[in-house]
């Protein structure tokens, strides 16, 4: 339990730092299997030698950093190859084939197995999806599709920013259809990377017929993150043909993308118009109530106990996406359960910063200044200028606060960005807003709105 929690937190953090395909390829089957309390070495298992070498060489630093932020007593990591099949581990151990002796092996099998036939992960269900104003349309569309496969909305195209639940919805649709029709329908979930790889492999190995057969035999094709397909001519063409064959035979196609069809720059026109010919819905940013509801649902699902106050605080501060919400929650629980310490404001702040920092790299100071100036209807020049009028001073202070809060800029840097002011001015502004937020709900509300805009624009 403990090790599982640590590893889950580590994975949550790594997931935010590397690309999704890399994450899935290298970390999906990794586990933390042991910690040597004496020398602080932990043992991480990987499913094969290749993965072991790759992870060790490429990701050691990130993993160690992340582990140490959770448990300062961890000093080093050893990597071992452990097959996921417990029977194999045992017999290998007997024959002494595992390079390290595992003192206390706890090869926890992934309880929820991905179905190799459909690629669906049973963890994603319609029931575990929290519905609110930001996703109710998408949810309703998925529900309709699962009830009337291939007939109602075809294709169903769901788009929205990172971590807002697209994969969850797509997989839940697949699982729901599978549950209803059992062996009667052929469901396949693939990421567009997987599709691209299959096509590239087939071309190279002259096995295109196999691939064609596989994909065109499907009743429900669920394809995640389609935006990557744009511009890859051969793949796009193959997808277009596959799409047509399925479509003409009333097979259901469900697609996700990080943007609407019109905004995938290199997508061929005829494919774009096919996408737009079905139903297009988006998932957007959850509001406070929904963020809190999601946290509560997760806590309940996992049987954790976390103080209401903490959940409220997380829901207030973590606004960018649901993946980050989960990341912070996992760490909070880890901290309380594994370390046996109570969460305090300072620690919570640290956890939130750690988790959310890595994803704010697309945001620039200029963008923040622009959004604040738009919001208060004062010009950026005014914000940077010398005016002491209160309708300028307040937004300027809020802007300073946000540069600190979102971008973690240093005070001198903040001063410089806002018209070469002294760093003490920046400190004063940040402290003032920090105090005021707690006393004035309307100010808090405004700052949240601005932050949402900032994240939305950069996401
Ligand atoms: P995306 O594919 O849009 O990047 P994901 O579907 O991977 O996002 O969602 C990120 C995480 O947040 C997943 O663990 C998912 O289960 C969870 N999640 C997203 N939306 C919801 C929701 N409405 N209710 C419950 N969990 C959600
Ligand atoms: Mg996704």
């Amino acid at each position: 339990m403990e090790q599982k929690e640590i590893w889950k937190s580590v994975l949550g953090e790594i997931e935010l730092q590397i690309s999704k395909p890399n994450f899935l390829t290298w970390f999906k089957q990794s586990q933390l299997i042991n910690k040597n309390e004496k020398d602080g070495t932990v043992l991480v298992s990987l499913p094969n030698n290749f993965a072991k070498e790759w992870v060790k060489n490429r990701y050691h630093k990130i993993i160690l950093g992340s582990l140490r932020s959770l448990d300062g007593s961890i000093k080093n990591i050893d990597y071992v190859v452990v097959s996921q099949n417990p029977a194999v581990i045992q017999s290998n151990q007997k024959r002494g084939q595992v390079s390290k002796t595992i003192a206390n092996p706890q090869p926890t099998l992934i309880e929820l197995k991905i179905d190799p036939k459909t690629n669906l992960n049973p963890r994603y269900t319609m029931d575990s999806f929290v519905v609110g104003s930001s996703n109710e349309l998408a949810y309703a569309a998925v529900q309709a599709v699962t009830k009337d496969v291939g007939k109602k909305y075809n294709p169903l195209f769901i788009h929205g920013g990172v971590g807002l639940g697209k994969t969850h919805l797509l997989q839940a649709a697949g699982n729901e259809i599978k549950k209803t029709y059992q062996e009667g329908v052929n469901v396949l979930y693939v990421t567009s990377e997987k599709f691209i790889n299959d096509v590239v492999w087939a071309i190279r190995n002259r096995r295109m017929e196999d691939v064609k057969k596989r994909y065109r035999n499907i009743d429900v094709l669920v394809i995640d993150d389609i935006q990557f397909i744009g511009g890859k001519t051969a793949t796009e063409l193959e997808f277009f043909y596959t799409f047509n064959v399925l479509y003409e035979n009333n097979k259901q196609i469900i697609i996700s993308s990080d943007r609407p069809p019109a905004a995938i720059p290199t997508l061929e026109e005829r494919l774009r118009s096919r996408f737009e010919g079905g139903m297009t819905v988006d998932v957007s940013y959850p509001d406070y109530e929904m963020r809190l509801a999601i946290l509560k649902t997760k806590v309940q699902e996992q049987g954790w106990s976390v103080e209401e106050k903490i959940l409220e605080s997380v829901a207030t501060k973590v606004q960018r996406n649901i993946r980050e919400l989960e990341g912070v929650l996992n760490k909070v629980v880890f901290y309380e359960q594994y370390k046996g310490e109570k969460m305090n404001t300072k620690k919570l702040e640290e956890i939130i910063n750690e988790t959310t920092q890595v994803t704010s790299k697309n945001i620039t100071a200029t963008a923040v200044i622009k959004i604040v100036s738009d919001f208060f209807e004062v010009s950026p020049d005014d914000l940077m200028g010398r005016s002491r009028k209160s309708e300028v001073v307040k937004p300027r202070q809020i802007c300073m606060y946000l540069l600190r809060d979102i971008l973690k800029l240093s005070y001198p840097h903040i001063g410089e960005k806002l018209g070469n002011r002294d760093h003490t001015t920046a400190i004063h502004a940040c402290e003032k807003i920090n105090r005021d937020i707690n006393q004035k709900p309307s100010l808090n509300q405004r700052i949240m709105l601005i932050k949402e805009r900032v994240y939305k624009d950069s996401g």
Side-chain angles (χ1 to χ4, degrees), residues 330-375:
N330 284 340
K331 280 194 193 166
V332 165
V333 170
F334 164 76
Y335 185 85
E336 292 200 327
Q337 298 193 346
Y338 179 71
K339 290 204 147 172
E341 290 175 40
K342 260 219 135 3
M343 186 54 48
N344 57 42
T345 328
K346 190 164 159 281
K347 183 67 200 170
L348 184 59
E349 199 75 25
E350 261 175 53
I351 290 180
I352 292 175
N353 285 342
E354 259 168 39
T355 317
T356 51
Q357 219 167 16
V358 272
T359 49
S360 44
K361 53 185 174 232
N362 298 334
I363 304 171
T364 62
T366 318
V368 174
I369 294 171
K370 172 83 174 56
I371 289 169
V372 173
S373 78
D374 282 353
F375 188 90

Side-chain angles (χ1 to χ4, degrees), residues 20 80 91 99 136 157 172 177 180 190 220 243-244 258 266 288 299 332 339 397 442 445:
K20 186 97 182 215
V80 289
S91 62
S99 51
E136 60 191 352
F157 192 103
I177 293 172
T180 315
V190 281
V220 180
F243 183 99
N244 281 346
D258 67 351
T266 47
Y288 171 78
V299 166
V332 165
K339 290 204 147 172
Q397 287 176 335
S442 65
Q445 176 77 14

